[in-house]
Amino acid sequence: MHGDIIRGHTENIILSILKDKPMYGYEILEEIVNKTNHELELKKITLYKTLERMVKNELIEQFMKNDTKTNGGNRKYYQITIKGLQSLKESVVNWSDTKKIINHLISDLEYLSIGENTIYFDEVTSTNDIAKEMAKEKVSDGTVIVANSQIKGRGRLQREWIDESGKNLIMSIILYPRKPLHTASIITQVAAASVSDAIKDFGMDSKIKWPNDVLVGGKKISGVLVETAIENNQIEYVIVGIGMNVNMDISNKPIKTIASSFFNELGNEFSIELVKNKLIEKFNYYYNEFLKGNDIAVQVCRENSHIIGKDVIINMNNTDYKVKVIDIADDGKLIIEDENGNIEFFSLNEISLHKNY
Ligand code: BT5
């Protein structure tokens, strides 16, 4: 994958710079900028953006490009300031501080920026189908497919996803997580937490109905469909399909009793691009945390759960069971207690919840 190759190379280059001799913070940055630019065709702007993001995330306090007069003329350097320390140029003189900077740089260069490659379509059958074709062609990690209109949108178990041309956010994200297969179901929770957070930012109170529905006022405003391709017991790629009802008026749709939209909740229309950007901002955060092994998204799904503590009916192998929902496990499974008091864990492929909940 293109993105992986670049990140892997950058890491090697940083390590090779370090192998030669310990350097000062600004010298390292200068070397990285030069080497990554020349040898990798990784644009300088990418590194600058990384550093700016580190400033935003408060990993570093300031990032400046500077000129200094030397005997040989003007010398350019990159000066960064770490929180609590003075300017690195003046203060980083020991190896341990230098290593800290490098670790920050490496971990941040590994940050996957979702949506840097976004491809727009007018009308598609399903964005998940287009995304699958592109994943097979090894399009870059984090590519986003957006459609103005989807005529054969689907939910889980081949259920239909209703859309109205130009009114909703219809998108799919292509991912190649290098993670164990059993963690794949967490990605549904990453998507659900991102949707829920994004909706909150627009002023609505959202709840998450495990595994993949986001509700406002008890009605479904968004659904997530995660499809995983497996090869040799490993994840080959993951497609995260997300549909959000934005400007669609649900009151004249067959789903009017169970669904809602931004328009129906808030009474006005929104820019779909704005909703998409908000969602991607949230997804970027939760997905990168997931890649680092943090289960923050699952916590968000727990805290905002529509079903924890409730008695519900689940369907398994075409049979209904009355159970109580206890919790969501760290790996994204639902923990329930059956009528005999037994505690059981279910993945999203094993059960579905009765739609009255
Ligand atoms: C879902 O399935 O909620 C996942 C929906 C994912 C849709 C996105 S759009 C982009 C990408 N491309 C695709 O083809 N799919 C993804 P599920 O939990 O199975 O819920 C489906 C059920 O939700 C249906 O049976 C209806 O009852 C209800 N439903 C259908 N359309 C809806 C809508 N627009 N809003 C709310 N509920 C809807």
Side-chain angles (χ1 to χ4, degrees):
M1 273 151 273
H2 193 55
D4 284 341
I5 290 165
I6 287 179
R7 280 197 299 280
H9 271 265
T10 310
E11 197 172 308
N12 285 340
I13 281 181
I14 293 170
L15 293 173
S16 76
I17 293 168
L18 282 174
K19 227 171 50 196
D20 294 343
K21 58 180 167 104
M23 294 182 197
Y24 296 93
Y26 68 94
E27 287 176 333
I28 292 167
L29 283 176
E30 194 171 37
E31 283 272 328
I32 293 169
V33 168
N34 287 337
K35 293 221 173 181
T36 52
N37 199 32
H38 292 137
E39 296 183 13
L40 285 175
E41 296 172 18
L42 180 73
K43 292 191 195 84
K44 265 189 190 176
I45 187 79
T46 309
L47 192 66
Y48 295 159
K49 271 166 72 185
T50 303
L51 289 164
E52 277 163 11
R53 201 164 50 224
M54 288 168 77
V55 172
K56 214 173 117 198
N57 294 340
E58 299 188 356
L59 288 171
I60 57 177
E61 210 162 81
Q62 207 180 40
F63 159 58
M64 288 186 300
K65 196 169 154 197
N66 255 327
D67 283 324
T68 183
K69 294 233 178 304
T70 61
N71 293 340
N74 264 10
R75 193 173 113 88
K76 284 193 193 322
Y77 64 90
Y78 303 90
Q79 185 176 359
I80 65 177
T81 317
I82 273 219
K83 244 186 146 45
L85 288 178
Q86 289 172 351
S87 160
L88 277 179
K89 182 175 180 296
E90 289 134 29
S91 66
V92 176
V93 289
N94 63 55
W95 180 228
S96 116
D97 279 346
T98 306
K99 271 208 300 214
K100 270 189 218 154
I101 313 287
I102 295 306
N103 284 336
H104 279 318
L105 276 169
I106 289 175
S107 71
D108 215 62
L109 283 166
E110 280 185 340
Y111 183 96
L112 174 65
S113 196
I114 313 272
E116 250 168 35
N117 182 26
T118 299
I119 307 169
Y120 292 87
F121 288 84
D122 186 25
E123 187 178 275
V124 296
T125 49
S126 155
T127 50
N128 269 33
D129 291 342
I130 307 267
K132 267 187 207 168
E133 292 306 314
M134 290 194 172
K136 285 183 201 152
E137 301 293 318
K138 300 274 179 272
V139 69
S140 62
D141 205 355
T143 294
V144 171
I145 310 292
V146 181
N148 187 44
S149 163
Q150 179 171 256
I151 51 175
K152 254 182 113 182
R154 57 173 194 275
R156 298 169 60 214
L157 312 167
Q158 299 304 318
R159 293 190 282 235
E160 184 191 7
W161 185 255
I162 292 170
D163 180 43
E164 187 179 326
S165 177
K167 296 279 183 182
N168 299 316
L169 177 59
I170 298 288
M171 61 176 256
S172 298
I173 309 170
I174 300 163
L175 303 165
Y176 310 93
R178 284 174 295 175
K179 300 286 277 181
L181 185 54
H182 69 90
T183 62
S185 60
I186 300 178
I187 298 174
T188 300
Q189 309 303 297
V190 165
S194 310
V195 170
S196 171
D197 265 21
I199 287 173
K200 280 192 168 59
D201 277 9
F202 284 90
M204 290 172 276
D205 186 17
S206 55
K207 291 277 178 234
I208 300 167
K209 185 177 143 196
W210 183 94
N212 66 324
D213 291 354
V214 179
L215 315 177
V216 173
K219 290 181 166 184
K220 183 159 164 178
I221 199 163
S222 174
V224 173
L225 175 67
V226 174
E227 296 179 302
T228 305
I230 301 163
E231 203 178 70
N232 299 330
N233 223 22
Q234 289 188 323
I235 300 174
E236 192 190 353
Y237 60 82
V238 175
I239 308 297
V240 181
I242 302 175
M244 282 173 90
N245 301 330
V246 182
N247 298 323
M248 179 163 80
D249 183 1
I250 301 284
S251 60
N252 56 14
K253 296 278 180 282
I255 46 174
K256 64 179 174 210
T257 54
I258 56 157
S260 193
S261 70
F262 282 46
F263 175 78
N264 289 103
E265 292 299 319
L266 301 170
N268 52 300
E269 300 210 337
F270 290 83
S271 149
I272 293 168
E273 185 69 11
L274 192 77
V275 176
K276 184 209 80 187
N277 290 344
K278 182 54 81 183
L279 176 61
I280 285 177
E281 177 196 318
K282 305 289 182 186
F283 195 93
N284 250 321
Y285 171 67
Y286 288 119
Y287 184 70
N288 277 287
E289 288 299 313
F290 159 73
L291 290 181
K292 283 192 250 162
N294 299 334
D295 58 11
I296 297 173
V298 178
Q299 281 174 39
V300 171
C301 291
R302 274 188 203 116
E303 283 157 18
N304 293 278
S305 173
H306 178 68
I307 57 167
I308 289 178
K310 282 191 183 162
D311 292 327
V312 301
I313 293 174
I314 58 168
N315 187 284
M316 187 170 45
N317 301 327
N318 294 324
T319 310
D320 284 347
Y321 299 90
K322 202 169 159 239
V323 302
K324 186 184 181 77
V325 179
I326 305 295
D327 206 348
I328 300 167
D330 290 348
D331 62 0
K333 286 189 174 146
L334 192 69
I335 309 175
I336 57 102
E337 183 180 346
D338 70 16
E339 285 189 300
N340 302 319
N342 300 319
I343 303 291
E344 293 187 58
F345 290 62
F346 288 110
S347 77
L348 58 94
N349 300 321
E350 292 168 315
I351 56 166
S352 62
L353 252 73
H354 201 277
K355 67 168 164 216
N356 288 352
Y357 298 99

